Structures are given as structure tokens and as C-alpha cells.
Amino acid sequence: GAVVSQHPSWVICKSGTSVKIECRSLDFQATTMFWYRQFPKQSLMLMATSNEGSKATYEQGVEKDKFLINHASLTLSTLTVTSAHPEDSSFYICSALTTGNSPLHFGNGTRLTVT
Amino acid sequence: AQTVTQSQPEMSVQEAETVTLSCTYDTSESDYYLFWYKQPPSRQMILVIRQEAYKQQNATENRFSVNFQKAAKSFSLKISDSQLGDAAMYFCAYRSGGSNYKLTFGKGTLLTVNP
């Protein structure tokens, strides 16, 4: 089946630094990937849609300069949290689409803690 | 915009019994997909079942089945013969039928299975 790998699974960084999270589709090409954010005991909130070879589409209220998304290849999308602050601490999950009618396949998520 | 409502923050069931999780949605579209995802403590999002809106027949996957009432915009999940491994957060999700593949999630229902 379609496998999505997300790395790292857990990262701790200091306030003011940047952190990069990778999302890879291991056995399929994903022209579209999605980045979600999940606070404890809450639902998944879509942050942005990442399209290979073009700029990401951000949801309303998401700072594009703070959450940089790059989708440079058909198997890799990255989310960079720039100048991280404690309020950015959260669980970030990526998902990828294989074909138009297929369900999304999710990565294992990344727990970000900013100290 | 579409909205997804899960009115049961928590549910519990005895092992081997049956439980039904509720989900309602609001949309003006006629073509769409509905999903139930399971998120165990590992936080991996696992697809449980999907339903195409154009299909009248309710989807079934082993012990999991849905009651899809299109006119009422209701999409409940029934888990039969509940097992300890079914304990998780369950999210109902909506996706438009066009080329916009992003998911809108409900707030989730935490299911506890009692031995």
C-alpha cells in the first residue's frame, strides 16, 4: 500500500530557531501533499496544500512566512517552521494523494516542542 | 464552507458489543466523499471506511459499517463486536468531489473499549 514517511517524529528546538519537517511518499508519486496541525485532544486543522513545482496554498490565518512549504519533487514536501516560538509547539501531520479518487495517506506525524 | 460535526466527544463500549458514532455535515455540494479515520495513541491516522455520496449503498469493511443518510446529511459509524484495539479517537471527514482534495475533519470522538 501507499506509504508516507514523515521525519523527524519528535523534535525539540529552542525559541528563535528554525525546524524542518520532511514528508516523503515512499512508493508512489504525490503531486499534492497536505500539512495539518493538531493540538492536544483536538482535531486536525489544515495548514496548507503543497503542490509539486508550484507555490503552496495556505489556509486563512496561517502565516506563510512562518510556515515555509517546499514541494520540490514528486516524493518530497518539507515544512519549515521559522523563528519558532513556544506557541508553535504542536503535532504536525502530512498527508499525500496518490490519485484523484483515492483517500489521503498520512505520515506518522511530528511532535514539535519549542522551549 | 463545509462543516463536519461530531456531537459525541466521548463514547464507551463493552468488549464484543456494538457502538455507533455520530457524524453530521453541512454542504451544498452534490458530489463529495465521506470518511472515518481512526487515530490510536500512536497518533497515526488510519482510514477506517469511506463512502462516495453518489452511492446509495452503505459502505462496509469487516466489523465497520456506516449509515449514510444523504438527505439528512448524516454519516454514522457502527462498530460491531468491539475489540480492545478499537479504542482510539475517531474522526469523521468530508472531501469535495472536485479537484479540491483537502479534508475537513470533525472534532473527533474518543472511544473507550471496556474489557
Side-chain angles (χ1 to χ4, degrees):
Chain A
V3 178
V4 177
S5 175
Q6 194 171 334
H7 177 81
S9 57
W10 193 7
V11 58
I12 302 173
C13 71
K14 292 186 177 181
S15 186
T17 62
S18 296
V19 174
K20 179 183 285 188
I21 302 170
E22 293 186 346
C23 180
R24 293 181 184 273
S25 56
L26 296 185
D27 51 359
F28 65 97
Q29 294 183 332
T31 57
T32 303
M33 290 184 175
F34 301 90
W35 287 96
Y36 290 84
R37 183 174 182 176
Q38 185 180 29
F39 289 106
K41 298 184 179 180
Q42 294 190 24
S43 187
L44 282 73
M45 297 299 296
L46 180 66
M47 299 175 65
T49 302
S50 170
N51 295 298
E52 187 269 336
S54 64
K55 291 184 178 181
T57 303
Y58 290 82
E59 295 299 302
Q60 190 173 8
V62 177
E63 300 176 61
K64 59 181 65 177
D65 293 332
K66 180 167 189 59
F67 299 100
L68 299 179
I69 291 173
N70 183 280
H71 195 157
S73 78
L74 287 171
T75 58
L76 175 64
S77 176
T78 60
L79 168 67
T80 301
V81 182
T82 62
S83 186
H85 292 284
E87 57 265 30
D88 298 324
S89 298
S90 187
F91 191 68
Y92 294 87
I93 310 175
C94 72
S95 65
L97 189 67
T98 53
T99 63
N101 289 329
S102 68
L104 292 180
H105 301 276
F106 286 83
N108 289 336
T110 297
R111 180 180 299 175
L112 171 63
T113 301
V114 184
T115 61
Chain B
Q2 294 78 27
T3 58
V4 178
T5 302
Q6 293 180 250
S7 59
Q8 306 154 316
E10 298 184 20
M11 291 283 285
S12 63
V13 63
Q14 290 296 125
E15 195 174 5
E17 296 295 308
T18 296
V19 64
T20 298
L21 308 185
S22 300
C23 173
T24 59
Y25 58 95
D26 187 25
T27 184
S28 59
E29 300 174 332
S30 59
D31 182 24
Y32 52 88
Y33 300 85
L34 296 165
F35 305 86
W36 278 97
Y37 279 91
K38 167 185 177 181
Q39 188 180 43
S42 67
R43 304 191 78 169
Q44 172 70 50
M45 294 291 286
I46 301 167
L47 176 66
V48 175
I49 201 165
R50 64 178 281 178
Q51 174 81 43
E52 292 87 347
Y54 64 86
K55 290 186 177 179
Q56 293 185 345
Q57 187 173 7
N58 290 324
T60 299
E61 286 289 342
N62 300 314
R63 298 183 294 107
F64 300 87
S65 61
V66 298
N67 183 2
F68 174 47
Q69 300 291 325
K70 191 172 184 178
K73 296 179 182 175
S74 172
F75 182 62
S76 61
L77 173 70
K78 186 172 81 172
I79 306 174
S80 303
D81 186 25
S82 297
Q83 301 175 1
L84 294 177
D86 295 333
M89 181 71 83
Y90 286 81
F91 292 100
C92 178
Y94 172 101
R95 196 189 93 188
S96 295
S99 59
N100 185 350
Y101 303 115
K102 61 184 181 182
L103 290 175
T104 300
F105 287 92
K107 291 188 175 182
T109 297
L110 179 62
L111 178 66
T112 302
V113 180
N114 301 309

Tab-separated table of all heavy atoms in Angstrom, chain B residues 40-88:
chain	number	residue	atom	x	y	z
B	40	PRO	N	-5.237	6.125	16.898
B	40	PRO	CA	-4.896	5.497	18.191
B	40	PRO	C	-3.878	6.346	18.927
B	40	PRO	O	-3.454	7.397	18.411
B	40	PRO	CB	-4.308	4.149	17.757
B	40	PRO	CG	-3.799	4.369	16.375
B	40	PRO	CD	-4.684	5.408	15.761
B	41	PRO	N	-3.471	5.929	20.120
B	41	PRO	CA	-2.486	6.714	20.882
B	41	PRO	C	-1.186	6.985	20.122
B	41	PRO	O	-0.504	7.952	20.406
B	41	PRO	CB	-2.253	5.842	22.120
B	41	PRO	CG	-3.544	5.141	22.312
B	41	PRO	CD	-4.043	4.843	20.928
B	42	SER	N	-0.850	6.150	19.176
B	42	SER	CA	0.349	6.387	18.364
B	42	SER	C	0.198	7.622	17.482
B	42	SER	O	1.190	8.133	16.945
B	42	SER	CB	0.632	5.174	17.473
B	42	SER	OG	-0.395	5.037	16.491
B	43	ARG	N	-1.020	8.087	17.314
B	43	ARG	CA	-1.392	9.279	16.542
B	43	ARG	C	-1.302	9.089	15.025
B	43	ARG	O	-1.424	10.052	14.272
B	43	ARG	CB	-0.596	10.502	16.991
B	43	ARG	CG	-0.739	10.768	18.483
B	43	ARG	CD	-0.204	12.093	18.914
B	43	ARG	NE	-1.126	13.169	18.599
B	43	ARG	CZ	-0.985	14.417	19.060
B	43	ARG	NH1	0.042	14.725	19.831
B	43	ARG	NH2	-1.861	15.358	18.727
B	44	GLN	N	-1.076	7.843	14.607
B	44	GLN	CA	-1.122	7.552	13.179
B	44	GLN	C	-2.566	7.593	12.721
B	44	GLN	O	-3.434	6.981	13.327
B	44	GLN	CB	-0.535	6.158	12.910
B	44	GLN	CG	-0.703	5.674	11.487
B	44	GLN	CD	0.153	6.418	10.492
B	44	GLN	OE1	1.351	6.578	10.691
B	44	GLN	NE2	-0.443	6.903	9.413
B	45	MET	N	-2.840	8.312	11.655
B	45	MET	CA	-4.190	8.385	11.099
B	45	MET	C	-4.423	7.159	10.219
B	45	MET	O	-3.696	6.927	9.256
B	45	MET	CB	-4.364	9.659	10.278
B	45	MET	CG	-4.297	10.925	11.117
B	45	MET	SD	-5.701	11.115	12.221
B	45	MET	CE	-6.983	11.569	11.056
B	46	ILE	N	-5.456	6.415	10.544
B	46	ILE	CA	-5.759	5.169	9.832
B	46	ILE	C	-7.150	5.274	9.214
B	46	ILE	O	-8.123	5.547	9.918
B	46	ILE	CB	-5.704	3.967	10.795
B	46	ILE	CG1	-4.313	3.876	11.437
B	46	ILE	CG2	-6.043	2.665	10.061
B	46	ILE	CD1	-4.255	2.927	12.609
B	47	LEU	N	-7.233	5.045	7.928
B	47	LEU	CA	-8.535	5.081	7.268
B	47	LEU	C	-9.351	3.864	7.683
B	47	LEU	O	-8.895	2.731	7.565
B	47	LEU	CB	-8.361	5.096	5.750
B	47	LEU	CG	-9.644	5.044	4.931
B	47	LEU	CD1	-10.471	6.311	5.148
B	47	LEU	CD2	-9.333	4.858	3.459
B	48	VAL	N	-10.557	4.105	8.152
B	48	VAL	CA	-11.445	3.020	8.564
B	48	VAL	C	-12.399	2.658	7.440
B	48	VAL	O	-12.553	1.486	7.079
B	48	VAL	CB	-12.251	3.424	9.814
B	48	VAL	CG1	-13.268	2.347	10.175
B	48	VAL	CG2	-11.320	3.696	10.988
B	49	ILE	N	-13.016	3.681	6.849
B	49	ILE	CA	-14.034	3.421	5.847
B	49	ILE	C	-14.315	4.696	5.075
B	49	ILE	O	-14.107	5.794	5.596
B	49	ILE	CB	-15.325	2.874	6.530
B	49	ILE	CG1	-16.214	2.125	5.538
B	49	ILE	CG2	-16.070	3.969	7.255
B	49	ILE	CD1	-17.285	1.280	6.231
B	50	ARG	N	-14.746	4.554	3.831
B	50	ARG	CA	-15.080	5.707	3.004
B	50	ARG	C	-16.409	5.469	2.304
B	50	ARG	O	-16.809	4.319	2.071
B	50	ARG	CB	-13.998	5.997	1.967
B	50	ARG	CG	-13.819	4.888	0.945
B	50	ARG	CD	-12.769	5.236	-0.087
B	50	ARG	NE	-13.263	6.147	-1.106
B	50	ARG	CZ	-12.533	6.623	-2.089
B	50	ARG	NH1	-11.254	6.324	-2.173
B	50	ARG	NH2	-13.044	7.427	-2.984
B	51	GLN	N	-17.052	6.571	1.973
B	51	GLN	CA	-18.351	6.499	1.308
B	51	GLN	C	-18.413	7.575	0.225
B	51	GLN	O	-18.138	8.748	0.492
B	51	GLN	CB	-19.483	6.741	2.321
B	51	GLN	CG	-20.877	6.826	1.745
B	51	GLN	CD	-21.489	5.463	1.468
B	51	GLN	OE1	-21.376	4.549	2.278
B	51	GLN	NE2	-22.163	5.327	0.343
B	52	GLU	N	-18.763	7.161	-0.975
B	52	GLU	CA	-18.991	8.124	-2.043
B	52	GLU	C	-20.452	8.585	-1.969
B	52	GLU	O	-21.348	7.746	-1.828
B	52	GLU	CB	-18.710	7.508	-3.410
B	52	GLU	CG	-17.250	7.196	-3.662
B	52	GLU	CD	-16.830	5.830	-3.159
B	52	GLU	OE1	-17.600	5.208	-2.385
B	52	GLU	OE2	-15.733	5.377	-3.523
B	53	ALA	N	-20.664	9.858	-2.088
B	53	ALA	CA	-22.018	10.396	-1.927
B	53	ALA	C	-22.986	9.877	-2.983
B	53	ALA	O	-24.191	9.770	-2.732
B	53	ALA	CB	-21.988	11.914	-1.954
B	54	TYR	N	-22.466	9.533	-4.173
B	54	TYR	CA	-23.356	9.097	-5.238
B	54	TYR	C	-23.814	7.649	-5.055
B	54	TYR	O	-24.717	7.183	-5.735
B	54	TYR	CB	-22.696	9.263	-6.608
B	54	TYR	CG	-21.464	8.416	-6.826
B	54	TYR	CD1	-21.561	7.116	-7.292
B	54	TYR	CD2	-20.194	8.934	-6.585
B	54	TYR	CE1	-20.436	6.335	-7.501
B	54	TYR	CE2	-19.062	8.158	-6.791
B	54	TYR	CZ	-19.194	6.867	-7.248
B	54	TYR	OH	-18.075	6.111	-7.463
B	55	LYS	N	-23.193	6.960	-4.140
B	55	LYS	CA	-23.561	5.570	-3.888
B	55	LYS	C	-24.624	5.499	-2.801
B	55	LYS	O	-24.437	6.027	-1.708
B	55	LYS	CB	-22.340	4.757	-3.472
B	55	LYS	CG	-21.348	4.517	-4.592
B	55	LYS	CD	-20.244	3.575	-4.146
B	55	LYS	CE	-19.281	3.275	-5.290
B	55	LYS	NZ	-18.181	2.374	-4.878
B	56	GLN	N	-25.704	4.835	-3.095
B	56	GLN	CA	-26.767	4.701	-2.109
B	56	GLN	C	-26.454	3.612	-1.097
B	56	GLN	O	-26.899	3.661	0.040
B	56	GLN	CB	-28.096	4.414	-2.808
B	56	GLN	CG	-28.604	5.573	-3.645
B	56	GLN	CD	-29.991	5.296	-4.224
B	56	GLN	OE1	-30.445	4.170	-4.242
B	56	GLN	NE2	-30.647	6.348	-4.680
B	57	GLN	N	-25.690	2.622	-1.535
B	57	GLN	CA	-25.385	1.511	-0.649
B	57	GLN	C	-24.388	1.937	0.408
B	57	GLN	O	-23.372	2.570	0.120
B	57	GLN	CB	-24.820	0.343	-1.444
B	57	GLN	CG	-24.618	-0.917	-0.628
B	57	GLN	CD	-24.225	-2.087	-1.497
B	57	GLN	OE1	-23.979	-1.948	-2.696
B	57	GLN	NE2	-24.168	-3.267	-0.905
B	58	ASN	N	-24.667	1.579	1.652
B	58	ASN	CA	-23.777	1.910	2.757
B	58	ASN	C	-22.498	1.088	2.672
B	58	ASN	O	-22.532	-0.122	2.429
B	58	ASN	CB	-24.469	1.633	4.089
B	58	ASN	CG	-25.582	2.622	4.359
B	58	ASN	OD1	-25.488	3.804	4.018
B	58	ASN	ND2	-26.657	2.156	4.970
B	59	ALA	N	-21.376	1.739	2.910
B	59	ALA	CA	-20.083	1.059	2.872
B	59	ALA	C	-19.912	0.160	4.086
B	59	ALA	O	-20.416	0.458	5.181
B	59	ALA	CB	-18.957	2.085	2.819
B	60	THR	N	-19.202	-0.935	3.871
B	60	THR	CA	-18.913	-1.894	4.946
B	60	THR	C	-17.486	-2.384	4.803
B	60	THR	O	-17.035	-2.659	3.692
B	60	THR	CB	-19.869	-3.093	4.872
B	60	THR	OG1	-21.214	-2.635	5.021
B	60	THR	CG2	-19.577	-4.096	5.974
B	61	GLU	N	-16.787	-2.461	5.934
B	61	GLU	CA	-15.447	-3.004	5.983
B	61	GLU	C	-15.346	-3.889	7.211
B	61	GLU	O	-15.111	-3.416	8.316
B	61	GLU	CB	-14.392	-1.883	6.058
B	61	GLU	CG	-14.172	-1.121	4.786
B	61	GLU	CD	-13.453	-1.930	3.709
B	61	GLU	OE1	-12.823	-2.949	4.045
B	61	GLU	OE2	-13.543	-1.520	2.539
B	62	ASN	N	-15.559	-5.166	7.012
B	62	ASN	CA	-15.496	-6.138	8.115
B	62	ASN	C	-16.451	-5.716	9.242
B	62	ASN	O	-17.662	-5.695	9.048
B	62	ASN	CB	-14.059	-6.266	8.608
B	62	ASN	CG	-13.133	-6.740	7.515
B	62	ASN	OD1	-13.432	-7.679	6.796
B	62	ASN	ND2	-11.999	-6.059	7.358
B	63	ARG	N	-15.932	-5.393	10.419
B	63	ARG	CA	-16.785	-5.055	11.561
B	63	ARG	C	-17.288	-3.618	11.531
B	63	ARG	O	-18.061	-3.209	12.410
B	63	ARG	CB	-16.009	-5.302	12.854
B	63	ARG	CG	-15.587	-6.748	13.088
B	63	ARG	CD	-14.884	-6.900	14.423
B	63	ARG	NE	-13.604	-6.196	14.474
B	63	ARG	CZ	-13.406	-5.087	15.163
B	63	ARG	NH1	-14.398	-4.552	15.872
B	63	ARG	NH2	-12.221	-4.510	15.161
B	64	PHE	N	-16.833	-2.859	10.569
B	64	PHE	CA	-17.183	-1.441	10.486
B	64	PHE	C	-18.186	-1.210	9.351
B	64	PHE	O	-17.984	-1.696	8.237
B	64	PHE	CB	-15.928	-0.601	10.239
B	64	PHE	CG	-14.895	-0.728	11.325
B	64	PHE	CD1	-13.949	-1.740	11.289
B	64	PHE	CD2	-14.875	0.165	12.379
B	64	PHE	CE1	-12.998	-1.857	12.296
B	64	PHE	CE2	-13.926	0.070	13.390
B	64	PHE	CZ	-12.982	-0.948	13.343
B	65	SER	N	-19.224	-0.482	9.660
B	65	SER	CA	-20.196	-0.138	8.631
B	65	SER	C	-20.707	1.274	8.897
B	65	SER	O	-20.576	1.803	10.001
B	65	SER	CB	-21.358	-1.135	8.619
B	65	SER	OG	-22.037	-1.110	9.859
B	66	VAL	N	-21.258	1.868	7.855
B	66	VAL	CA	-21.779	3.215	8.010
B	66	VAL	C	-23.262	3.230	7.688
B	66	VAL	O	-23.778	2.372	6.978
B	66	VAL	CB	-21.034	4.231	7.104
B	66	VAL	CG1	-19.575	4.312	7.481
B	66	VAL	CG2	-21.232	3.897	5.633
B	67	ASN	N	-23.922	4.231	8.248
B	67	ASN	CA	-25.314	4.526	7.908
B	67	ASN	C	-25.296	5.911	7.277
B	67	ASN	O	-25.198	6.923	7.979
B	67	ASN	CB	-26.195	4.500	9.144
B	67	ASN	CG	-27.666	4.725	8.791
B	67	ASN	OD1	-28.038	4.868	7.623
B	67	ASN	ND2	-28.520	4.768	9.793
B	68	PHE	N	-25.335	5.935	5.966
B	68	PHE	CA	-25.231	7.176	5.212
B	68	PHE	C	-26.629	7.633	4.836
B	68	PHE	O	-27.328	6.963	4.063
B	68	PHE	CB	-24.381	6.959	3.967
B	68	PHE	CG	-24.321	8.131	3.028
B	68	PHE	CD1	-24.079	9.411	3.492
B	68	PHE	CD2	-24.489	7.938	1.664
B	68	PHE	CE1	-24.004	10.487	2.623
B	68	PHE	CE2	-24.423	9.002	0.779
B	68	PHE	CZ	-24.177	10.275	1.262
B	69	GLN	N	-27.034	8.749	5.376
B	69	GLN	CA	-28.336	9.340	5.093
B	69	GLN	C	-28.094	10.680	4.404
B	69	GLN	O	-27.905	11.701	5.068
B	69	GLN	CB	-29.134	9.533	6.385
B	69	GLN	CG	-29.403	8.263	7.157
B	69	GLN	CD	-30.366	7.344	6.442
B	69	GLN	OE1	-31.296	7.786	5.769
B	69	GLN	NE2	-30.132	6.035	6.574
B	70	LYS	N	-28.088	10.659	3.075
B	70	LYS	CA	-27.692	11.850	2.318
B	70	LYS	C	-28.633	13.026	2.550
B	70	LYS	O	-28.196	14.161	2.703
B	70	LYS	CB	-27.610	11.524	0.825
B	70	LYS	CG	-26.961	12.612	0.004
B	70	LYS	CD	-26.719	12.157	-1.418
B	70	LYS	CE	-25.974	13.233	-2.212
B	70	LYS	NZ	-25.680	12.787	-3.608
B	71	ALA	N	-29.923	12.769	2.553
B	71	ALA	CA	-30.886	13.858	2.732
B	71	ALA	C	-30.735	14.502	4.105
B	71	ALA	O	-30.834	15.719	4.253
B	71	ALA	CB	-32.304	13.343	2.539
B	72	ALA	N	-30.468	13.692	5.078
B	72	ALA	CA	-30.303	14.197	6.441
B	72	ALA	C	-28.888	14.665	6.706
B	72	ALA	O	-28.596	15.227	7.762
B	72	ALA	CB	-30.680	13.112	7.440
B	73	LYS	N	-27.983	14.434	5.761
B	73	LYS	CA	-26.566	14.782	5.894
B	73	LYS	C	-25.990	14.173	7.165
B	73	LYS	O	-25.389	14.857	8.004
B	73	LYS	CB	-26.388	16.299	5.847
B	73	LYS	CG	-26.792	16.884	4.502
B	73	LYS	CD	-26.638	18.383	4.438
B	73	LYS	CE	-27.121	18.889	3.078
B	73	LYS	NZ	-27.100	20.361	2.991
B	74	SER	N	-26.214	12.881	7.261
B	74	SER	CA	-25.749	12.130	8.415
B	74	SER	C	-24.889	10.967	7.961
B	74	SER	O	-25.172	10.316	6.939
B	74	SER	CB	-26.960	11.623	9.200
B	74	SER	OG	-26.575	10.740	10.210
B	75	PHE	N	-23.853	10.680	8.727
B	75	PHE	CA	-22.880	9.636	8.328
B	75	PHE	C	-22.352	8.986	9.592
B	75	PHE	O	-21.277	9.308	10.078
B	75	PHE	CB	-21.761	10.302	7.513
B	75	PHE	CG	-20.720	9.363	6.993
B	75	PHE	CD1	-21.035	8.351	6.101
B	75	PHE	CD2	-19.383	9.514	7.360
B	75	PHE	CE1	-20.062	7.490	5.599
B	75	PHE	CE2	-18.401	8.674	6.870
B	75	PHE	CZ	-18.747	7.664	5.987
B	76	SER	N	-23.082	8.046	10.143
B	76	SER	CA	-22.674	7.421	11.397
B	76	SER	C	-21.868	6.160	11.142
B	76	SER	O	-22.017	5.492	10.112
B	76	SER	CB	-23.899	7.104	12.254
B	76	SER	OG	-24.746	6.204	11.575
B	77	LEU	N	-21.012	5.835	12.085
B	77	LEU	CA	-20.142	4.661	12.012
B	77	LEU	C	-20.573	3.657	13.061
B	77	LEU	O	-20.674	3.993	14.235
B	77	LEU	CB	-18.685	5.053	12.257
B	77	LEU	CG	-17.679	3.910	12.364
B	77	LEU	CD1	-17.491	3.237	10.996
B	77	LEU	CD2	-16.335	4.417	12.888
B	78	LYS	N	-20.809	2.434	12.638
B	78	LYS	CA	-21.147	1.359	13.555
B	78	LYS	C	-19.987	0.388	13.647
B	78	LYS	O	-19.491	-0.105	12.624
B	78	LYS	CB	-22.407	0.629	13.117
B	78	LYS	CG	-22.870	-0.417	14.128
B	78	LYS	CD	-24.227	-1.016	13.781
B	78	LYS	CE	-24.117	-2.087	12.755
B	78	LYS	NZ	-25.418	-2.805	12.561
B	79	ILE	N	-19.566	0.123	14.868
B	79	ILE	CA	-18.508	-0.850	15.115
B	79	ILE	C	-19.144	-2.039	15.819
B	79	ILE	O	-19.685	-1.910	16.922
B	79	ILE	CB	-17.375	-0.260	15.981
B	79	ILE	CG1	-16.851	1.035	15.354
B	79	ILE	CG2	-16.252	-1.276	16.156
B	79	ILE	CD1	-15.823	1.760	16.220
B	80	SER	N	-19.083	-3.173	15.171
B	80	SER	CA	-19.659	-4.391	15.740
B	80	SER	C	-18.573	-5.223	16.393
B	80	SER	O	-17.391	-5.142	16.021
B	80	SER	CB	-20.330	-5.216	14.634
B	80	SER	OG	-21.316	-4.468	13.965
B	81	ASP	N	-18.987	-6.021	17.398
B	81	ASP	CA	-18.030	-6.916	18.054
B	81	ASP	C	-16.776	-6.135	18.462
B	81	ASP	O	-15.644	-6.476	18.082
B	81	ASP	CB	-17.667	-8.074	17.143
B	81	ASP	CG	-16.799	-9.119	17.808
B	81	ASP	OD1	-16.846	-9.227	19.044
B	81	ASP	OD2	-16.044	-9.807	17.087
B	82	SER	N	-16.970	-5.079	19.214
B	82	SER	CA	-15.871	-4.179	19.567
B	82	SER	C	-14.710	-4.920	20.215
B	82	SER	O	-14.898	-5.830	21.037
B	82	SER	CB	-16.378	-3.084	20.517
B	82	SER	OG	-17.359	-2.295	19.889
B	83	GLN	N	-13.512	-4.510	19.836
B	83	GLN	CA	-12.292	-5.105	20.368
B	83	GLN	C	-11.474	-4.044	21.088
B	83	GLN	O	-11.617	-2.846	20.820
B	83	GLN	CB	-11.494	-5.736	19.231
B	83	GLN	CG	-12.259	-6.822	18.489
B	83	GLN	CD	-11.509	-7.372	17.290
B	83	GLN	OE1	-10.390	-6.958	16.993
B	83	GLN	NE2	-12.138	-8.310	16.599
B	84	LEU	N	-10.604	-4.500	21.972
B	84	LEU	CA	-9.786	-3.556	22.739
B	84	LEU	C	-8.967	-2.656	21.812
B	84	LEU	O	-8.723	-1.488	22.101
B	84	LEU	CB	-8.874	-4.313	23.705
B	84	LEU	CG	-9.588	-5.083	24.823
B	84	LEU	CD1	-8.566	-5.851	25.667
B	84	LEU	CD2	-10.404	-4.155	25.696
B	85	GLY	N	-8.563	-3.216	20.691
B	85	GLY	CA	-7.764	-2.455	19.727
B	85	GLY	C	-8.546	-1.377	18.996
B	85	GLY	O	-7.963	-0.557	18.278
B	86	ASP	N	-9.853	-1.370	19.179
B	86	ASP	CA	-10.663	-0.323	18.544
B	86	ASP	C	-10.619	0.983	19.332
B	86	ASP	O	-11.057	2.017	18.835
B	86	ASP	CB	-12.121	-0.772	18.416
B	86	ASP	CG	-12.295	-1.963	17.488
B	86	ASP	OD1	-11.462	-2.133	16.576
B	86	ASP	OD2	-13.262	-2.730	17.692
B	87	ALA	N	-10.098	0.933	20.535
B	87	ALA	CA	-10.022	2.144	21.353
B	87	ALA	C	-9.121	3.168	20.670
B	87	ALA	O	-7.967	2.885	20.345
B	87	ALA	CB	-9.477	1.814	22.735
B	88	ALA	N	-9.685	4.328	20.430
B	88	ALA	CA	-8.953	5.376	19.696
B	88	ALA	C	-9.837	6.606	19.584
B	88	ALA	O	-10.992	6.602	19.993
B	88	ALA	CB	-8.591	4.891	18.287
